[in-house]
Amino acid sequence: MIGLDRRQSGATLVELVMTIVIISIAVAGVVGAFATIAGRSADPLNQTRAVELAQLYLDEILAKKYDELTPEGGVPPYTGGCNINTDEVDRADFDDVDDYHNLTDNPPKSPVTNIAGYSGFQVAVSVACAGGEVGLAAANAKRIRVTITTPGGPVFDFSAYRANF
């Protein structure tokens, strides 16, 4: 009679159960990590968009005169001190930095219309006398703070200074 080899190759039931348990744990970890990453995938996009939006507003504001009575070109400098007067009502008429104080846009706007693609974002602007913060006489600089609130809720503050020239 031909001898039968009693050794069999294959996996036992215990080995199969252990393999299934190990794979389940690994899959659960990967799915958990993926869920965390997917939940935050919009954060970098919203941060980038907040920076772009703040730059847009700051460029617009910094292009304006230091004060209502500052001559074109800024020479000679305005000598009336630092005053925050919001004397214009329509944004298209804003002609100096002060006019932007307490501006709130939701959704963000250009001087004429809403900016496409920024629904859910909110912009708030404040202007304050801040010459001492940058080594100038108190009346010779204004701090413009642009606060961007993104749709997810994080708030980003951006500041720039407009000197009296």
Side-chain angles (χ1 to χ4, degrees):
M1 186 174 195
I2 302 177
L4 295 175
D5 187 8
R6 297 273 181 199
R7 286 184 299 149
Q8 295 180 1
S9 63
T12 65
L13 182 59
V14 173
E15 291 171 332
L16 288 174
V17 169
M18 291 301 290
T19 303
I20 291 170
V21 168
I22 291 170
I23 290 174
S24 299
I25 292 171
V27 167
V30 170
V31 169
F34 181 73
T36 301
I37 292 169
R40 296 183 180 188
S41 65
D43 288 351
L45 176 63
N46 283 342
Q47 290 171 0
T48 302
R49 294 182 62 136
V51 170
E52 292 171 348
L53 193 57
Q55 188 66 53
L56 182 73
Y57 272 78
L58 287 171
D59 285 348
E60 177 186 336
I61 297 167
L62 291 171
K64 304 300 181 183
K65 298 188 298 185
Y66 178 78
D67 192 85
E68 183 78 24
L69 301 175
T70 300
E72 289 300 321
V75 178
Y78 174 67
T79 57
C82 181
N83 303 305
I84 308 298
N85 298 318
T86 54
D87 52 358
E88 309 295 342
V89 178
D90 188 6
R91 185 161 163 201
D93 296 330
F94 286 5
D95 58 355
D96 63 295
V97 171
D98 301 349
D99 293 336
Y100 290 88
H101 183 61
N102 290 332
L103 174 70
T104 302
D105 284 341
N106 185 9
K109 300 175 177 77
S110 73
V112 249
T113 185
N114 290 350
I115 301 171
Y118 284 93
S119 64
F121 283 79
Q122 181 177 347
V123 178
V125 179
S126 65
V127 179
C129 299
E133 295 175 11
V134 291
L136 298 173
N140 284 337
K142 295 178 183 177
R143 182 186 62 247
I144 301 123
R145 176 171 285 146
V146 176
T147 303
I148 309 289
T149 305
T150 62
V155 176
F156 300 95
D157 282 321
F158 302 89
S159 294
Y161 293 87
R162 177 69 163 92
N164 183 12
F165 64 89

